[in-house]
Amino acid sequence: MLLLSSPNGGGMAIFDQRHWHVIDRVSTTGIGSDDEFFVRSVQQEDHADLVVQHLSGRTRRLRFGEFSDIHDVYVKNGFIYAVSTGTNEIVCLSARSGEIVSRRTFPGEPDSMHLNCLDEWNDRLVVSAFGRFAKHREYKGSAPLNGLVMDVQTGEDVWGQLTEPHSPRQAGAYYLICDSGTGRLLISDGAEVRAEIPLGGYPRGIAITDEIVAIGISGHRRQEDAGIARVRTIDLRTLQLVNEIPVPFREIYDLRFIPVSLATQLKPVRGGWPDVR
């Protein structure tokens, strides 16, 4: 099943190969899971707001005032890696206790780099960003090709000369990125780009199986007639379009293929959960 998150008046929904089922209409950015936890980031401009659902049943909500504008989460071995775009950093949290384990802060004023999406490439945690800028939102209106994917630990570039990149993914020996500013999906072997697939709109959100890649396509926010978003599926062997699926929201942030066992456990966001901070 395909899980989708949507910011800016969206929510979260599941596609069962025939229909979308809206879980709730609470604006959401990053989503992620491991064998024990499912985590979603409720979109908040001025603080972090993470819903952590233990797959045994307990759900808790973690709020942190020192982080802001969380764009993505990556969950592994009971730890949550969250992109605090507003403070230019990646924070690691314990999913069990909610405590801060570590912080990786990058240079520049708040939201100077527009850090956004996480993935793991060959055991290295990587993050996409709009560029190595120093001033607050200096990336707005900047020239293309400043975007990059970088190693979170070392800070070194893994992939450069991108334009507003999102959703880095690894598929075997290949690496995928939404070059959102140019409306393309790029596929690299680590040495050079092997395929450039024009998608139109603003691609963001990638989910992969052995044979299919699903890409979220949102309208440009600057366009009044942007319309509803859609998911395009592409055959990884032929790189041909398989299907296009309209979605019940105007934007897509993240996509994940998940098992039915997880899909049936996902809960809508409701009030009244205790805050950790």
Side-chain angles (χ1 to χ4, degrees), residues 124-266:
R124 303 166 73 187
L125 188 66
V126 300
V127 63
S128 48
F130 281 11
R132 295 184 182 277
F133 300 102
K135 301 296 184 181
H136 175 65
R137 295 187 175 175
E138 188 180 351
Y139 54 83
K140 286 185 174 290
S142 67
L145 303 180
N146 283 307
L148 66 148
V149 178
M150 64 178 173
D151 184 303
V152 170
Q153 182 176 1
T154 67
E156 67 178 320
D157 290 11
V158 178
W159 192 343
Q161 294 191 307
L162 301 170
T163 303
E164 299 183 14
H166 290 88
S167 311
R169 299 287 187 268
Q170 182 172 7
Y174 292 93
Y175 307 90
L176 292 74
I177 192 78
C178 285
D179 202 48
S180 306
T182 64
R184 300 179 299 165
L185 173 70
L186 303 181
I187 303 176
S188 170
D189 62 5
E192 60 182 308
V193 174
R194 293 294 186 178
E196 304 177 17
I197 304 173
L199 297 168
Y202 198 82
R204 182 178 58 194
I206 296 176
I208 301 172
T209 68
D210 291 339
E211 298 179 353
I212 295 291
V213 55
I215 306 109
I217 312 292
S218 304
H220 284 277
R221 294 174 188 167
R222 296 181 290 272
Q223 297 175 350
E224 293 183 2
D225 59 346
I228 63 171
R230 57 204 184 277
V231 172
R232 286 183 173 168
T233 58
I234 293 173
D235 188 312
L236 275 174
R237 298 163 299 182
T238 65
L239 301 183
Q240 298 300 307
L241 180 68
V242 176
N243 199 4
E244 182 168 296
I245 310 162
V247 307
F249 303 118
R250 291 179 58 87
E251 290 188 39
I252 297 169
Y253 191 83
D254 205 358
L255 295 171
R256 303 283 174 175
F257 284 112
I258 62 172
V260 174
S261 58
L262 173 56
T264 57
Q265 294 187 67
L266 297 181

Side-chain angles (χ1 to χ4, degrees), residues 44-208:
Q44 304 285 3
E45 184 71 23
D46 60 354
H47 65 279
D49 187 354
L50 303 179
V51 177
V52 181
Q53 182 178 338
H54 195 293
L55 300 186
S56 66
R58 181 189 180 199
T59 300
R60 66 192 309 184
R61 199 158 181 170
L62 309 179
R63 290 189 175 102
F64 298 87
E66 59 261 58
F67 309 121
S68 62
D69 199 11
I70 301 297
H71 270 54
D72 200 15
V73 291
Y74 184 81
V75 187
K76 182 178 180 180
N77 297 332
F79 293 99
I80 305 165
Y81 300 88
V83 181
S84 178
T85 304
T87 58
N88 260 17
E89 62 186 318
I90 313 296
V91 58
C92 177
L93 308 167
S94 167
R96 295 178 179 84
S97 68
E99 294 299 312
I100 298 170
V101 177
S102 64
R103 301 168 70 159
R104 174 70 166 95
T105 305
F106 292 90
E109 294 179 359
D111 193 13
S112 59
M113 300 180 69
H114 201 70
L115 304 171
N116 49 66
C117 301
L118 294 166
D119 196 36
E120 192 171 26
W121 289 4
N122 300 319
D123 299 321
R124 303 166 73 187
L125 188 66
V126 300
V127 63
S128 48
F130 281 11
R132 295 184 182 277
F133 300 102
K135 301 296 184 181
H136 175 65
R137 295 187 175 175
E138 188 180 351
Y139 54 83
K140 286 185 174 290
S142 67
L145 303 180
N146 283 307
L148 66 148
V149 178
M150 64 178 173
D151 184 303
V152 170
Q153 182 176 1
T154 67
E156 67 178 320
D157 290 11
V158 178
W159 192 343
Q161 294 191 307
L162 301 170
T163 303
E164 299 183 14
H166 290 88
S167 311
R169 299 287 187 268
Q170 182 172 7
Y174 292 93
Y175 307 90
L176 292 74
I177 192 78
C178 285
D179 202 48
S180 306
T182 64
R184 300 179 299 165
L185 173 70
L186 303 181
I187 303 176
S188 170
D189 62 5
E192 60 182 308
V193 174
R194 293 294 186 178
E196 304 177 17
I197 304 173
L199 297 168
Y202 198 82
R204 182 178 58 194
I206 296 176
I208 301 172

